[in-house]
């Protein structure tokens, strides 16, 4: 309870500082407009059809990239974890590629796909697949051999071992993987939109930034932050529910 | 209740069993010419130095691992795959599933068969609950493994091994992870359960005291390649009591096992 109060106090302090410091010109209001101005602009922006369209485009890019990357990454991750030969061959390469900042490949995606919806999706899915793959293979390897032995000794079929042992055993790590890969996925879509695009929230934010429209810029940041935090916390809620069986 | 062993019936018969591992530096003989016979309802304990292949042998008896040579018969029929109706296995770490409650863990083996056999959910539940009572954990069924002590977890694990009522129970150092006091209590509890259920038990341990206290017969294995180098009948009366540990007979049996084990390099 005390912790909660302290957290709320911290939030209130930050918001108050955001409001008061630009108002009294302790910080330059041209760079950081007061919170109330930003919120007023946010209300106004959310009325504009142009903004609705941008949110729709970004949401579609994020969703499609995620729907491609998660099953693909999970399948590849399970494959390299389960197949010893493939694991030995591919894992070092994957770790090397994983360490490279993916944004340096962005020009390649533009050359191949043009500045399009497909380019954003392909780039984000490419980035996210690596995260999902490595997390999924770690999740498979986290399953204790004893759990499998117990199931086998009681005559479990392969399907029963998969559904009744692997899946619940991996669940905490899988949820974590889902959460972290969404952070990467969202970031990738934003980078792609801000780098070169004709639509999407990232496109608008980049434009506002270039034109020194700080109230619009911060309003855009609030929208994105809210969406990202909501997704993250939803998954974290389920994660906490199965935290006691983490090994 | 006095336990009566049916010495005339053979529960497990192992003949000329050998096993060779294919390792990175060529082949390693792990088990050599193991032959043993375990009478139905008998409590047999296997002791031996670390790495002598005790656990491998037990995994083969359970049908979880294949031997290179030799045969294993369980109640007259060969064992090649896990057969939960004939053999229940209890592992070193209790190996309970952390996402299931104590009762659901006990019911797990039944739920695997559930689809194939006509037993209602209520009947399975009732059986699991009976096992929970047998191991003295009534009222703890809804607890999850992380809410149970080491001894309680191992009780759940024993209940899970018994729930399908297999005639043979294989136990791989089940109490090794417990502290000494809990270990003594669990040994005593195991004998109580065993005496009410007339199971054939093959039990692996590192503890010589535990071996003599529990066993009808102790098999001593040598270091790798594992062979059976001595068979020691323990003719202490049942039910066993803690006081017996202080007797000369107990001490002599313990000493004989120790002399056999220390001979091996």
């Amino acid at each position: 309870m005390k912790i909660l109060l302290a957290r709320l106090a911290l939030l209130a302090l930050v918001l108050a500082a955001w409001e008061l410091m630009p108002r009294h010109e302790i910080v330059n209001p041209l760079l950081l407009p007061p919170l109330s101005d930003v919120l007023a602009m946010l209300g106004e922006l959310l009325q504009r059809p142009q903004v609705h369209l941008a949110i729709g485009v970004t949401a579609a890019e994020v969703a499609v990239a995620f729907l491609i990357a998660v099953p693909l990454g999970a399948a590849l991750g399970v494959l390299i974890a389960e197949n010893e030969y493939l694991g030995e061959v591919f894992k070092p390469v994957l770790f090397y590629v994983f360490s490279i900042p993916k944004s340096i490949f962005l020009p390649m995606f533009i050359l191949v796909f043009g500045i399009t919806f497909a380019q954003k999706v392909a780039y984000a899915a490419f980035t996210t697949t690596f995260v999902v793959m490595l997390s999924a293979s770690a999740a498979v390897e986290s399953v204790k051999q004893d759990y499998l032995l117990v199931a086998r000794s009681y005559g479990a079929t392969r399907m029963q071992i998969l559904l009744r042992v692997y899946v619940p055993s991996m669940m905490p790590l899988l949820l974590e993987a889902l959460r972290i890969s969404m952070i990467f996925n969202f970031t990738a879509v934003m980078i792609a939109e801000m780098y070169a695009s004709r639509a999407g929230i990232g496109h608008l934010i980049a434009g506002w930034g270039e034109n020194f429209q700080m109230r619009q810029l911060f309003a855009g940041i609030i929208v994105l932050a809210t969406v990202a935090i909501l997704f993250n916390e939803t998954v974290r809620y389920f994660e906490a529910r199965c935290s006691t069986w983490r090994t | 209740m006095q336990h009566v062993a049916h010495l005339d019936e053979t529960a497990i018969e192992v003949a000329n069993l050998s096993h060779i591992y294919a390792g990175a530096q060529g082949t390693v003989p792990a088990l050599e010419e193991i032959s043993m016979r375990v009478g139905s309802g008998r409590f047999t304990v296997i002791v031996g130095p670390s790495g002598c292949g005790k656990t491998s042998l037990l995994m083969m008896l359970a049908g979880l691992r294949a031997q290179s040579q030799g045969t294993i018969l369980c109640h007259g029929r060969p064992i090649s795959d896990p057969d939960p109706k004939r053999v229940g296995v209890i592992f070193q770490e209790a190996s309970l599933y952390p996402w299931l409650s104590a009762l659901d863990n006990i019911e797990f083996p039944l739920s695997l068969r559930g689809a194939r056999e006509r037993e209602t959910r209520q009947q399975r539940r009732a059986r699991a609950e009976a096992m929970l009572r047998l191991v003295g954990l009534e009222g703890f069924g809804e607890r999850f493994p992380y809410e149970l002590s080491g001894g309680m977890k191992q009780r759940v694990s024993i209940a899970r091994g018994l729930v399908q009522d297999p005639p043979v129970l294989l136990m791989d150092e089940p109490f090794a992870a417990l502290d000494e006091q809990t270990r003594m209590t669990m040994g005593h509890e195991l004998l109580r359960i065993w005496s009410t259920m007339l199971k054939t038990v093959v039990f692996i341990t590192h503890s010589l005291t535990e071996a003599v206290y529990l066993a009808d017969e102790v098999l001593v294995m040598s270091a790798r390649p594992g062979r059976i180098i001595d068979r020691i009948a323990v003719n202490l009366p049942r039910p066993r009591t803690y006081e017996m540990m202080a007797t000369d007979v107990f001490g002599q049996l313990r000493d004989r096992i120790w002399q056999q084990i220390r001979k091996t390099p």
Side-chain angles (χ1 to χ4, degrees):
Chain A
M1 204 52 211
K2 266 189 176 162
I3 294 282
L4 185 68
L5 283 177
R7 283 175 180 167
L8 287 174
L10 176 67
L11 182 68
L13 194 72
V14 170
L15 295 180
W18 188 352
E19 178 62 31
L20 295 174
M21 285 169 81
R23 283 253 176 264
H24 295 90
E25 308 220 344
I26 299 167
V27 298
N28 187 346
L30 289 176
L31 282 175
L32 181 71
L35 176 61
S36 53
D37 289 2
V38 171
L39 290 178
M41 177 53 74
L42 176 62
E44 194 187 309
L45 286 177
L46 290 177
Q47 310 288 325
R48 287 187 201 166
Q50 179 210 8
V51 173
H52 293 171
L53 185 69
I55 290 176
V57 168
T58 302
E61 285 165 355
V62 169
V64 174
F66 201 60
L67 288 176
I68 293 172
V70 169
L72 182 67
L76 292 173
V78 170
L79 202 64
I80 59 169
E82 278 292 272
N83 188 311
E84 213 173 314
Y85 177 76
L86 289 180
E88 295 280 323
V89 173
F90 282 104
K91 256 190 213 166
V93 182
L94 290 172
F95 276 108
Y96 296 155
V97 179
F98 186 61
S99 62
I100 306 170
K102 305 297 169 302
S103 47
I104 58 175
F105 296 106
L106 197 44
M108 276 302 296
F109 282 88
I110 293 173
L111 289 175
V112 175
F113 292 99
I115 298 175
T116 58
F117 183 85
Q119 167 244 336
K120 311 291 183 298
V121 168
Y123 169 71
F126 167 72
T127 304
T128 309
T129 302
F130 281 96
V131 185
V132 179
M133 185 160 46
L134 293 178
S135 309
S137 79
V140 172
E141 280 159 10
S142 79
V143 178
K144 279 197 196 165
Q145 287 303 310
D146 281 7
Y147 292 166
L148 306 177
L149 212 54
V150 167
R152 280 183 53 214
S153 79
Y154 292 116
T157 61
R158 283 181 73 97
M159 194 45 95
Q160 282 173 328
I161 289 176
L162 179 69
L163 294 179
R164 311 266 317 264
V165 182
Y166 269 104
V167 170
S169 185
M170 297 191 310
M171 194 51 77
L173 281 181
L174 285 183
L175 286 174
E176 189 186 29
L178 213 59
R179 196 162 59 76
I180 290 174
S181 54
M182 183 48 116
I183 296 174
F184 277 80
N185 187 47
F186 208 170
T187 306
V189 168
M190 281 304 118
I191 287 174
E193 282 186 352
M194 292 174 76
Y195 185 75
S197 65
R198 298 189 191 89
I201 284 285
H203 171 68
L204 289 182
I205 285 181
W208 291 328
E210 275 166 28
N211 298 323
F212 209 49
Q213 294 169 294
M214 299 315 270
R215 284 183 303 157
Q216 286 87 333
L217 177 66
F218 278 105
I221 288 171
I222 288 177
V223 171
L224 288 183
T226 308
V227 172
I229 291 171
L230 275 180
F231 181 85
N232 205 43
E233 291 307 302
T234 309
V235 180
R236 233 159 55 93
Y237 167 77
F238 290 106
E239 246 179 279
R241 289 184 56 173
C242 53
S243 65
T244 53
W245 71 66
R246 259 198 121 119
T247 45
Chain B
M1 199 182 304
Q2 187 68 40
H3 179 78
V4 186
H6 310 270
L7 290 168
D8 45 331
E9 241 181 87
T10 301
I12 299 171
E13 182 138 36
V14 177
N16 305 318
L17 181 141
S18 295
H19 191 68
I20 294 165
Y21 278 111
Q25 286 103 33
T27 55
V28 184
L31 293 168
E32 203 170 84
E33 290 292 307
I34 304 264
S35 292
M36 59 189 264
R37 178 188 163 275
V38 179
S40 179
R42 297 272 283 178
F43 202 120
T44 302
V45 174
I46 301 177
V47 293
S50 298
C52 72
K54 309 185 288 285
T55 296
S56 296
L57 177 61
L58 203 80
M59 292 297 120
M60 289 164 195
L61 294 179
L64 287 165
R65 206 177 283 174
Q67 66 270 25
S68 310
Q69 266 174 48
T71 54
I72 300 170
L73 295 180
C74 179
H75 285 279
R77 282 181 296 131
I79 284 272
S80 54
D81 285 313
D83 182 355
K85 281 192 185 164
R86 280 190 289 168
V87 178
V89 192
I90 290 157
F91 295 90
Q92 191 169 36
E93 307 283 331
S95 299
L96 302 179
Y97 294 130
W99 55 89
L100 297 178
S101 70
L103 203 55
D104 287 333
N105 263 293
I106 297 174
E107 209 185 308
F108 182 79
L110 299 179
S111 70
L112 293 176
R113 301 196 317 177
R116 284 171 261 159
E117 282 180 31
R118 286 171 194 211
E119 195 176 32
T120 65
R121 175 108 182 99
Q122 283 84 351
Q123 282 170 320
R124 298 199 322 234
R125 203 73 185 162
R127 261 215 283 163
E129 273 164 357
M131 286 302 127
L132 196 70
R133 278 196 295 281
L134 177 75
V135 297
L137 284 182
E138 196 164 11
F140 289 92
E142 298 311 313
R143 299 262 190 115
F144 282 82
Y146 75 98
E147 300 171 305
L148 300 172
S149 70
M152 288 159 104
K153 277 188 225 174
Q154 209 41 274
R155 282 171 195 256
V156 174
S157 171
I158 291 170
R160 181 174 63 182
L162 289 168
V163 75
Q164 307 214 59
D165 204 23
V168 174
L169 213 54
L170 305 175
M171 307 181 82
D172 183 14
E173 297 193 52
F175 308 143
L178 304 178
D179 63 81
E180 183 145 4
Q181 288 163 29
T182 314
R183 190 172 184 152
M184 295 273 274
T185 319
M186 287 302 295
H188 199 71
E189 276 290 285
L190 177 62
L191 288 184
R192 177 185 65 79
I193 295 163
W194 172 66
S195 69
T196 64
M197 299 196 76
L198 302 166
K199 302 284 176 203
T200 307
V201 178
V202 177
F203 187 104
I204 288 179
T205 183
H206 267 110
S207 161
L208 306 185
T209 307
E210 194 171 66
V212 177
Y213 185 69
L214 297 174
D216 290 317
E217 185 179 42
V218 178
L219 303 179
V220 184
M221 284 178 71
S222 69
R224 176 171 291 169
R227 281 172 295 118
I228 293 175
I229 51 171
D230 201 3
R231 295 159 207 266
I232 298 159
V234 179
N235 291 317
L236 293 166
R238 294 198 186 265
R240 302 271 161 90
T241 61
Y242 295 126
E243 288 71 35
M244 286 178 190
M245 292 185 192
T247 62
D248 286 346
V249 183
F250 197 97
Q252 283 155 12
L253 287 165
R254 229 180 78 108
D255 196 50
R256 180 169 159 197
I257 301 170
W258 173 234
Q259 295 303 336
Q260 290 295 346
I261 288 179
R262 64 181 285 196
K263 271 199 303 199
T264 73

